[in-house]
């Protein structure tokens, strides 16, 4: 009891303010990064006549050198995002936070660092306008433009809805800090063992919708092809769901259907 009282003056003010600043900064920066990402990935590309097709670039040495330098730059930017995004999830990093009594800061720090590297990637991304794999001018076809916009809008809605269902404040790390400030157990402990197991290796919703967002583009340039291939492979390798995850989702679906049928029968 005496030790607890001695700790309070040192940590209560500074630690709570620092935790609040970290959680707020993480939520704001992550929200801004996701908004920028939606515009970055889903804004229809403009078709320009000076662009050439995939098989033409080898005929132009200057264009070839320009494209190679673009590929190298974009690979470095993707590495800047993917490597920290993966390394910060390592057990050694989590143990580092735990040893210093900062376990509740781990998730907020992870989201903040990932969002900052994502913003750096988008701000410095080098496009390759001289090389097209496919193109479709949606600006001149109203119906096609609406199909494109609605498809991306629906996919982003599923991603955002899935994030809310997966407990968005906990994903961003704000809930952990709130629980610590109110002397509650970590929020993950209030979840079932099956859900904790799922969250241990899957923290992003809807692999299918993000894949649609990446590949349903009206213009696929070399830089976008590089981005799509690497992020799709990264998602496939990182989101390693298995049969137990499938059975958990299946059981939850049956339970929700049963609860819905009971509510409808009562009405």
């Amino acid at each position: 009891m005496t030790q607890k009282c001695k700790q309070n003056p040192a940590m209560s003010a500074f630690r709570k303010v620092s935790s609040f600043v970290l959680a707020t900064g993480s939520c704001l920066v992550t929200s801004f990064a996701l908004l920028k990402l939606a515009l970055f990935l889903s804004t229809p590309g403009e078709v320009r006549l000076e662009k050439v097709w995939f098989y033409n670039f080898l005929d132009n040495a200057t264009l070839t050198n320009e494209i190679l330098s673009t590929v190298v730059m974009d690979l470095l930017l993707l590495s800047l995002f993917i490597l920290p995004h993966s390394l910060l999830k390592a057990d050694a990093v989590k143990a580092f936070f735990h040893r210093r009594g900062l376990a509740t800061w781990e998730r907020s720090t992870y989201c903040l660092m990932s969002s900052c590297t994502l913003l750096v990637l988008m701000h410095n991304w080098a496009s390759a306008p001289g090389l097209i794999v496919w193109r479709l001018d949606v600006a001149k076809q109203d119906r096609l433009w609406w199909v494109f916009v609605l498809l991306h809008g629906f996919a982003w809605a599923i991603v955002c809805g899935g994030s809310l269902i997966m407990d968005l404040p906990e994903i961003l790390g704000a809930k952990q800090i709130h629980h610590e400030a109110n002397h509650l157990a970590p929020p993950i402990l209030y979840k079932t063992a099956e859900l904790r197991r799922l969250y241990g290796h899957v923290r992003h919703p809807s692999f299918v919708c993000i894949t649609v967002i990446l590949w349903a583009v009206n213009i696929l340039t070399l830089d976008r092809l590089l981005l799509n291939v690497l992020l799709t492979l990264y998602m496939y390798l990182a989101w390693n769901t298995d049969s137990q995850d499938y059975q958990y989702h299946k059981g939850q679906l049956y339970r929700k259907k049963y609860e819905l049928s009971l509510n409808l029968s009562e009405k």
Side-chain angles (χ1 to χ4, degrees):
M1 183 72 178
T2 305
Q3 185 179 3
K4 185 177 179 179
C5 293
K6 289 180 180 178
Q7 290 176 350
N8 284 336
M11 65 172 289
S12 60
F14 177 75
R15 185 184 177 92
K16 288 183 179 180
V17 170
S18 300
S19 298
F20 176 78
V21 171
L22 176 62
T24 304
S26 174
C27 292
L28 291 176
V29 174
T30 301
S31 300
F32 178 70
L34 290 177
L35 177 61
K36 295 284 289 184
L37 181 64
L39 296 175
F40 181 76
L41 295 178
S42 298
T43 301
E46 181 183 355
V47 174
R48 298 176 182 175
L49 296 177
E50 66 268 18
K51 291 186 177 182
V52 296
W53 294 97
F54 182 79
Y55 52 77
N56 296 123
F57 84 101
L58 292 175
D59 297 331
N60 190 324
T62 302
L63 182 59
T64 302
N65 293 332
E66 179 184 349
I67 289 172
L68 290 176
S69 63
T70 298
V71 169
V72 172
M73 178 65 179
D74 290 341
L75 282 174
L76 290 174
L77 290 170
L78 283 167
S79 300
L80 177 66
F81 169 70
I82 291 175
L83 291 178
H85 193 69
S86 299
L87 293 175
L88 287 173
K89 294 190 298 182
D91 293 336
V93 175
K94 295 180 180 180
F96 172 84
F97 281 95
H98 279 269
R99 285 196 303 268
R100 283 155 180 78
L102 301 174
T104 55
W105 289 20
E106 184 259 326
R107 188 66 195 179
S108 292
T109 304
Y110 173 77
C111 292
L112 183 61
M113 294 298 296
S114 298
S115 299
C116 288
T117 54
L118 182 60
L119 287 170
V120 171
L121 181 149
M122 291 184 290
H123 181 73
N124 296 282
W125 186 258
S127 61
L131 185 58
I132 295 177
V133 180
W134 74 63
R135 66 178 177 183
L136 189 63
D137 194 353
V138 298
K140 296 181 179 180
Q141 304 180 53
D142 290 341
R143 291 183 180 179
L144 195 57
W145 185 87
W146 277 109
V147 168
F148 179 86
V149 171
L150 291 175
L151 179 63
H152 276 251
F154 179 75
W156 280 112
I158 295 295
V159 172
C160 293
S163 299
L164 292 174
I165 292 173
M166 293 181 70
D167 196 352
L168 183 58
E170 195 266 339
I171 292 176
L172 294 176
K175 198 170 186 178
Q176 290 87 325
I177 292 174
H178 171 75
H179 276 224
E180 182 189 47
N182 290 277
H183 308 290
L184 300 172
I188 193 69
L189 296 181
Y190 292 90
K191 296 175 170 59
T192 64
E194 294 85 356
L195 186 57
R196 292 201 301 269
R197 182 185 180 279
L198 176 66
Y199 282 4
H201 55 276
V202 177
R203 299 296 283 177
H204 298 281
S206 190
F207 172 85
V208 173
C209 285
I210 296 180
T211 304
V212 169
I213 290 169
L214 288 173
W215 290 98
V217 292
N218 68 310
I219 297 179
L220 185 67
T221 54
L222 178 63
D223 61 289
R224 185 60 186 264
L225 176 65
L226 180 68
L227 177 75
N228 292 356
V229 169
L230 290 182
L231 290 185
T232 303
L233 289 175
Y234 178 62
M235 289 190 299
Y236 179 79
L237 295 174
W239 299 359
N240 51 343
T241 55
D242 53 26
S243 59
Q244 293 186 48
D245 299 325
Y246 171 75
Q247 292 299 329
Y248 171 74
H249 280 289
K250 186 178 179 180
Q252 291 297 308
L253 179 62
Y254 285 152
R255 196 186 81 174
K256 293 298 182 183
K257 287 182 177 179
Y258 176 73
E259 292 175 352
L260 181 61
S261 65
L262 289 179
N263 292 333
L264 291 175
S265 61
E266 290 177 357
K267 294 180 180 180

